[in-house]
Amino acid sequence: MSTSAIPIETLLQAGIQCIGALDFDESESALRPRRLPAWTRAQVPQGLDVMVRMPSGVRLEFQSAATEIGLELLVTRMGGNQPVALNLEFDNQVLTNHATQGNTIVPDASSEQGFRVVHGECDLVWFQDLPPINKMVKLWLPHNAFVELHALHISKDSVVEPINSQRPSWVHYGSSISHCMEAEAPAYTWPAVAARHSNLSLINLGVGGQCHLDPLIARTIRDLEADLISIKSGINIVNMDSMRERVFVPLLHGFLDTIRDRHTTTPIILCSPIYCPSAESRPGPTIPNEKGKFVTFEGMEQLRQGSLTLQRIRTLVKQVVETRTELGDANLHYFHGLDLFGEADAEDLPDDLHPNPTGYIRMGERFAAHAIAKVFQD
């Protein structure tokens, strides 16, 4: 069957939404999605900038009766030549295909940056034999690679039209455990699974190595349209030993205050960290050992006053919710991280920090059933 190509920029000008992309880097005739708005560029630390250019949770949404839909894109993967997954979702079906071409970032000790880019070609990833009826399509972009979008290809004589979605919007903020680079495919990160089970439109601000309650993220969430907001912070505060108890509690209050400046009654779920064996009762920082397991440092106790462990963070997060609820915030909810993923799930925690694909799916199902459903029932 013959097909036609529509440049991505033309699609967006026609009203097709790239949900979860709050800004774009431009490259000749292509666009590279970013998950933070343009005004944040001057404030974003380098580590955060790297991760917001990986479009976890970002997807093109449109309607079309096309029987063939393809995405022309250039991916840049980090290490190895593994295929990069994309998903096409419609009518509760999720199809998977892979980009096998593209660029690869490889370590290089002789380079000033410590890495080099092995350049490859654009890829055209197809989803074929689709039913010839009008479909509400979500085309999920890779969650674990940088992406340059060139064109959408569709069956000849087919059209692509915008969707006027009535689904409630959900903004989620988290760490690598919400970015979910270890998930099998982008539609199977735990926030994507939870959104699908709850019929919500997701914006995922889960960013690997991050979630330190940055004020620029609080202002971003404040300015977004949202029917539900969730915050899952704590693990990287321990992993990097980035703050002590004295700073964590007022910063968490301030983060919530900024969001409440606009979202005065929007439900907010504050979720404490999931299980991580080495950091449960010992403060960070954490590093991977020779077996690839994340472990905390020993010693230096005289310098650890006010250092945080996961157990202490869970207590403090719950106390913050209780304090604010007593002061009148009836739409702030606490969800215990160990109910999302606890010690009994440890067999699905291969590096003692990040869940595997099975663990992420279970987390999404649990969050939908026990956190999101409870908020909307209440």
Side-chain angles (χ1 to χ4, degrees):
M1 179 181 292
S2 59
T3 61
S4 58
I6 310 169
I8 291 296
E9 194 163 1
T10 301
L11 276 179
L12 299 183
Q13 290 170 351
I16 304 303
Q17 291 185 291
C18 190
I19 297 179
L22 305 182
D23 190 21
F24 294 92
D25 294 321
E26 297 186 23
S27 173
E28 297 179 358
S29 59
L31 294 174
R32 299 169 181 163
R34 297 175 57 91
R35 291 187 286 144
L36 285 177
W39 67 263
T40 66
R41 287 175 182 256
Q43 300 183 23
V44 172
Q46 183 180 15
L48 178 56
D49 180 71
V50 168
M51 289 300 164
V52 300
R53 291 188 285 117
M54 286 189 180
S56 182
V58 178
R59 65 229 177 255
L60 294 167
E61 292 199 3
F62 53 89
Q63 56 183 328
S64 179
T67 57
E68 292 186 309
I69 297 174
L71 185 62
E72 183 182 345
L73 76 169
L74 176 66
V75 302
T76 301
R77 56 180 66 78
M78 299 183 73
N81 292 311
Q82 66 276 13
V84 174
L86 292 83
N87 293 116
L88 187 139
E89 180 183 350
F90 68 97
D91 295 339
N92 296 317
Q93 298 183 59
V94 180
L95 308 179
T96 304
N97 206 346
H98 298 83
T100 57
Q101 306 298 315
N103 303 329
T104 304
I105 298 174
V106 297
D108 185 353
S110 65
S111 167
E112 183 179 343
Q113 296 93 349
F115 65 88
R116 60 188 172 87
V117 179
V118 179
H119 292 280
E121 302 296 326
C122 280
D123 215 336
L124 180 51
V125 180
W126 283 105
F127 297 90
Q128 298 174 309
D129 300 321
L130 305 174
I133 57 173
N134 196 47
K135 302 172 288 297
M136 306 298 175
V137 173
K138 302 186 188 98
L139 185 50
W140 293 84
L141 304 182
H143 59 301
N144 54 2
F146 306 111
V147 176
E148 186 175 275
L149 302 175
H150 287 257
L152 187 74
H153 293 244
I154 59 171
S155 317
K156 197 77 170 178
D157 300 325
S158 297
V159 296
V160 175
E161 297 179 315
I163 295 175
N164 182 20
S165 175
Q166 300 300 314
R167 288 174 299 143
S169 59
W170 169 31
V171 178
H172 175 69
Y173 174 48
S175 65
S176 59
I177 298 167
S178 298
H179 187 146
C180 305
M181 291 178 67
E182 302 79 14
E184 190 173 88
Y188 296 105
T189 67
W190 80 257
V193 172
R196 187 156 51 251
H197 278 270
S198 307
N199 195 30
L200 297 176
S201 179
L202 169 69
I203 293 180
N204 187 10
L205 298 178
V207 278
Q210 308 301 313
C211 202
H212 299 277
L213 302 174
D214 296 282
L216 66 94
I217 302 287
R219 294 195 296 276
T220 295
I221 296 172
R222 177 198 63 193
D223 295 342
L224 290 170
E225 298 298 324
D227 299 290
L228 173 68
I229 296 165
S230 57
I231 301 162
K232 184 182 173 300
S233 183
I235 183 61
N236 284 330
I237 290 168
V238 174
N239 284 344
M240 293 182 65
D241 192 25
S242 64
M243 62 184 79
R244 303 292 172 96
E245 184 169 325
R246 165 63 180 84
V247 177
F248 174 71
V249 173
L251 188 56
L252 180 56
H253 275 296
F255 197 91
L256 293 168
D257 287 342
T258 297
I259 294 171
R260 283 288 186 234
D261 283 343
R262 178 165 178 255
H263 293 281
T264 55
T265 60
T266 302
I268 298 176
I269 301 172
L270 209 54
C271 182
S272 58
I274 69 168
Y275 179 68
C276 176
S278 71
E280 286 295 315
S281 58
R282 290 205 306 252
T286 64
I287 57 170
N289 63 16
E290 66 280 359
K291 297 180 180 179
K293 304 270 188 180
F294 280 82
V295 296
T296 55
F297 282 103
E298 298 281 358
M300 307 291 284
E301 279 75 16
Q302 68 273 25
L303 302 178
R304 298 296 185 94
Q305 184 176 358
S307 291
L308 291 164
T309 67
L310 294 186
Q311 291 175 353
R312 184 59 179 159
I313 283 178
R314 292 189 194 105
T315 298
L316 295 172
V317 171
K318 186 177 181 182
Q319 288 176 353
V320 165
V321 172
E322 290 171 347
T323 297
R324 298 178 73 94
T325 301
E326 290 172 0
L327 292 173
D329 191 344
N331 291 307
L332 182 63
H333 308 266
Y334 175 70
F335 189 64
H336 191 46
L338 296 183
D339 291 337
L340 187 60
F341 189 103
E343 186 173 1
D345 301 297
E347 64 179 13
D348 289 319
L349 201 68
D351 65 358
D352 283 350
L353 178 62
H354 303 96
N356 62 16
T358 299
Y360 281 134
I361 290 172
R362 187 185 310 122
M363 287 174 64
E365 293 170 346
R366 286 174 177 170
F367 199 79
H370 302 297
I372 295 174
K374 183 179 184 301
V375 165
F376 284 115
Q377 285 169 0
D378 292 347

